[in-house]
Amino acid sequence: MNIHLIEKQKFTDKFIELIDYNYPDSSNIVYEYETGAGFECKKASCAKSITRLSDIDFSLLGEDDKFFVHAFYTTKTIRFIYRNIHRFKKYQLVLICWGADIYDARFALENHKFDFKLRFHEYLKRRIIKCCDIFMTFACADYEIITKYYGGHGKQFDCLYPSNANLELLDKLKNDYELEIGNSFRNNTFKILLGNSATKTNLHIQALDAMAKFSDEDIEIICPLSYGDKEYGKKVVDYGKSVFKEKFKPILDYMSTDDYSRLLNSVDVAVFNHNRQQGTGNIEILAYLGKKLYIRSDTTTWKHYVIRDGCKFFDAKLIEKMSFNDFISMKKDDVSINEEYFRKIWDINYVKSLWDKVMEYRG
């Protein structure tokens, strides 16, 4: 039996449903643990809620079975996996990289070189990664980070979780938006989405500086800051207000998935100035809805979506050199390419095919 270790997040219910409905032969068990974020654990035949990682029953693993670790950035997870590293000489270890696990600590050490606790955890992480058989990544080029900085040499597979997006709602929203544009019901204010969270990797200040020349245009800058670092979020609000005054609209409260989809549909342009792979769920929905999307060309996200898969995104690093008209305009053919791509990868059969490849891999 394969074992999955996953922290409870807003998107994990869909993954548990995928396992429960598509692998009903008791070949997988999902251990789900609380992180204090307030999400309830999913009730399913394949899922078990735990409060301690020591409650995991390794005896369930048989020969050629796999132990899936969905994200490995918390101290608790890193230390638990390291203490049990001897077990993975017999079973396959699969690390699913969410982003923070291979970026955040490295970035932090660039500014705090003498943080010995952080260095120790990075040491443990390297030992774990070097023993790992399989890596699943949301951006294919994240594997380059794994090999370059952590010495990983296992097999790489693409990873997707089933989307939380309500496709029926998105199609309705998209059609309503197109009707508004076609019938001139919409006001002329251009709405710009900036980032997805109150985390420093969004590089909000840099993006606000690049767009400062548009401050006299008829715009609104909508900035989701409802989760992440509250202190950092306050700095972003203060700076955004100082540059754009009342045109800067921070989102400080959590929203339901459907309400957030409505918010995303209301914007015209999205600027994701992240310096690492992040916010892919937002990227998918925005691109599907036909929004012009900016991400940085020096990220693994760009390599995955633009260079490898041919999505029509734009380089956030070039915004400061653009006119306002160039900044907001987008060809209809580019919109269609993005919509078709994300409709394909959201198909549950496509998502399942990615997991099938990993489940069946023997190395």
Side-chain angles (χ1 to χ4, degrees), residues 167-182:
L167 193 57
E168 184 178 347
L169 173 64
L170 293 184
D171 284 338
K172 182 181 184 305
L173 292 173
K174 186 149 60 75
N175 290 335
D176 290 347
Y177 181 86
E178 290 169 355
L179 283 173
E180 287 181 10
I181 297 295

Side-chain angles (χ1 to χ4, degrees), residues 294-305:
Y294 288 88
I295 62 176
R296 294 176 64 93
S297 60
D298 56 358
T299 60
T300 59
T301 315
W302 180 275
K303 288 183 179 180
H304 183 91
Y305 286 124

